[in-house]
Amino acid sequence: MKNKIVFFSFFLLMSLTSFSQSISSSPYSLYGLGSVYDSDFGPLPSIGSSGMALPSNTFINNLNPASLGFMPQNHFMFDIGGKAIATTYQSSTKTEKRNNFQFSHLAFAFPVTKNSGFSVALRPYSSAAFKISNLKLPITDSQEFYYLSATGSGGLNNLDFSYGYRFGKKLSLGATATVLFGNTVDDRTFLILNSLTNIHKKTDYNGLRTTLGAQYKIDSTLTIATTFKIPAQIKASKVQSVQTVSDDVVTTIESEAASDVDDYYMPLEIGVGISKRFKNNLNMTLDYEKSLWNDTRQSELYGNFVNQDRFALGFTYNTKKNIRSYWDRIQYLAGANFDTGYLEVDGKRVNNASVSVGLSLPIENTYSALNISYSYGQRGRVANDLIKENYHKISINLSLDGIWFVKRKFE
């Protein structure tokens, strides 16, 4: 059974990553640094991306670095994931379907001492892959409109270094140092009356960010947690070419001109979460996170950044009737997530809501597991300047426990 599950999971993950160049992302990746990824590890996608208060005792919990303080001794954990998304985009005039194949993450973690653990993770932060044709937008302080066509590619990556330390048996504190890096390529065409402007731009980004976290076990069934993502400044520079076309006359305004651009600011994000176990076979997780985008004093050409609220709820259930039975060790998971969004376009929020279900399939008698989840969600709405997205997502995370490779002393 173990070999079949490992072979099957690696086949699915490699199939997803082999299509990584075929990413067709959200039109909302036109804004800021692109659409933010939800690269959650282990079973987290199945429980609505909740789990801030879960310890890293059976999988790597990327939501809170303090979880590493509860890592078991002599265990080396490895996690790799991918996802496939089928999305229907709906505007006031047409409907379009696209498929989206994404690499999710690659991470490993190990205990440093009996009370601490360390992890390294590489994952995408955002995707700026989009294609938009003849989007009608209003001219500021005017009754006139202009038309935008745009294509983009690239995005930012997260390289996380996390450490958690447990004080006694109940309190654990942790920190993550994140290196953000990457670039975006953007081609835009603006049509105003009979004048056409073409802009080709490549922008490079780099920056650092810190996350602090804590977990506290009130008793054996209840844990509370909090996280603080410190505001950060992402440096940016660009190379840009600009041409105008009017009455069939082409005029070059800029040609491969290098310059600095306005830095991108990431907000203070404060999160709280709880994990509560009932009757030893049902566990509930509940998270809330507030992102203070208003304080970054940023704005987009096509919208504004606004404070964001995220709510996540999850349930995990297993029978545990017979620990020797493979089927009794399978975990059944479900969750829901609601996000008010950090963008406001034409006075309307770009929010997101989803529900999810999943399975955690154990691999032999270790913490190793194949986590499979299905999610359905909606983002945005149909309006003059907005597009509604309906998406179906399958996430596959393979979580391997290093003790699996330790030679047994007794057969």
Side-chain angles (χ1 to χ4, degrees), residues 229-241:
K229 295 180 182 177
I230 308 302
Q233 185 176 0
I234 309 301
K235 296 290 185 180
S237 61
K238 70 176 181 181
V239 176
Q240 180 173 279
S241 298

Side-chain angles (χ1 to χ4, degrees), residues 406-411:
V406 175
K407 184 177 181 180
R408 296 174 180 172
K409 294 182 179 180
F410 301 98
E411 296 293 340

Side-chain angles (χ1 to χ4, degrees), residues 157-195:
N157 301 294
N158 255 5
L159 180 59
D160 296 331
F161 301 91
S162 301
Y163 178 77
Y165 187 89
R166 175 167 47 89
F167 298 86
K169 295 183 178 180
K170 292 190 174 184
L171 175 65
S172 181
L173 302 178
T176 298
T178 298
V179 181
L180 287 153
F181 62 96
N183 61 71
T184 60
V185 177
D186 192 319
D187 290 283
R188 303 192 186 190
T189 299
F190 300 88
L191 176 61
I192 304 175
L193 300 178
N194 295 322
S195 177

Side-chain angles (χ1 to χ4, degrees), residues 86-386:
T87 308
T88 301
Y89 301 94
Q90 183 180 358
S91 69
S92 56
T93 57
K94 66 178 181 178
T95 299
E96 182 177 345
K97 295 183 178 181
R98 299 180 187 174
N99 294 322
N100 188 346
F101 302 93
Q102 300 176 354
F103 164 76
S104 176
H105 64 273
L106 178 67
F108 65 87
F110 55 88
V112 178
T113 68
K114 67 177 182 179
N115 291 333
S116 65
F118 178 79
S119 71
V120 178
L122 176 64
R123 55 192 175 94
Y125 172 77
S126 66
S127 170
F130 56 87
K131 184 176 181 180
I132 298 173
S133 299
N134 296 321
L135 178 63
K136 186 179 180 180
L137 295 168
I139 298 175
T140 304
D141 299 326
S142 172
Q143 299 298 317
E144 301 294 332
F145 291 85
Y146 68 95
Y147 293 87
L148 168 69
S149 295
T151 58
S153 60
L156 266 68
N157 301 294
N158 255 5
L159 180 59
D160 296 331
F161 301 91
S162 301
Y163 178 77
Y165 187 89
R166 175 167 47 89
F167 298 86
K169 295 183 178 180
K170 292 190 174 184
L171 175 65
S172 181
L173 302 178
T176 298
T178 298
V179 181
L180 287 153
F181 62 96
N183 61 71
T184 60
V185 177
D186 192 319
D187 290 283
R188 303 192 186 190
T189 299
F190 300 88
L191 176 61
I192 304 175
L193 300 178
N194 295 322
S195 177
L196 198 66
T197 301
N198 299 312
I199 300 177
H200 172 79
K201 178 174 63 176
K202 179 181 179 182
T203 308
D204 292 295
Y205 298 93
N206 66 84
L208 299 173
R209 196 182 196 192
T210 302
T211 300
L212 305 176
Q215 289 184 343
Y216 183 78
K217 281 191 172 184
I218 295 178
D219 56 41
S220 61
T221 66
L222 178 62
T223 301
I224 59 175
T226 186
T227 59
F228 295 87
K229 295 180 182 177
I230 308 302
Q233 185 176 0
I234 309 301
K235 296 290 185 180
S237 61
K238 70 176 181 181
V239 176
Q240 180 173 279
S241 298
V242 181
Q243 285 186 335
T244 62
V245 181
S246 181
D247 296 328
D248 296 328
V249 177
V250 179
T251 304
T252 299
I253 307 299
E254 288 182 333
S255 179
E256 298 295 320
S259 64
D260 293 331
V261 296
D262 291 340
D263 295 334
Y264 186 83
Y265 294 89
M266 303 183 72
L268 172 66
E269 298 182 64
I270 303 171
V272 293
I274 64 170
S275 173
K276 174 64 178 177
R277 190 171 74 250
F278 303 92
K279 297 183 178 179
N280 293 323
N281 57 2
L282 176 65
N283 195 82
M284 181 193 74
T285 50
L286 177 64
D287 292 356
Y288 168 74
E289 189 172 47
K290 181 81 171 183
S291 302
L292 303 177
W293 285 95
N294 278 346
D295 292 345
T296 65
R297 301 180 186 276
Q298 296 177 110
S299 63
E300 266 286 330
L301 179 61
Y302 316 112
N304 299 306
F305 289 95
V306 292
N307 288 343
Q308 178 184 25
D309 298 287
R310 186 180 71 87
F311 304 87
L313 174 67
F315 295 93
T316 302
Y317 175 82
N318 60 332
T319 60
K320 289 187 177 180
K321 291 181 179 179
N322 182 3
I323 195 171
R324 295 182 179 274
S325 169
Y326 178 84
W327 301 106
D328 284 350
R329 289 187 290 117
I330 293 176
Q331 287 189 329
Y332 304 89
L333 309 104
N337 188 295
F338 178 74
D339 179 356
T340 62
Y342 60 91
L343 283 174
E344 187 176 79
V345 182
D346 197 21
K348 301 179 180 64
R349 288 288 191 107
V350 183
N351 54 27
N352 180 76
S354 65
V355 293
S356 55
V357 294
L359 295 173
S360 183
L361 305 174
I363 302 175
E364 279 204 342
N365 296 314
T366 68
Y367 296 144
S368 299
L370 174 63
N371 299 285
I372 303 175
S373 73
Y374 164 77
S375 303
Y376 171 75
Q378 295 184 348
R379 186 185 189 194
R381 68 183 77 185
V382 177
N384 290 336
D385 303 323
L386 292 178

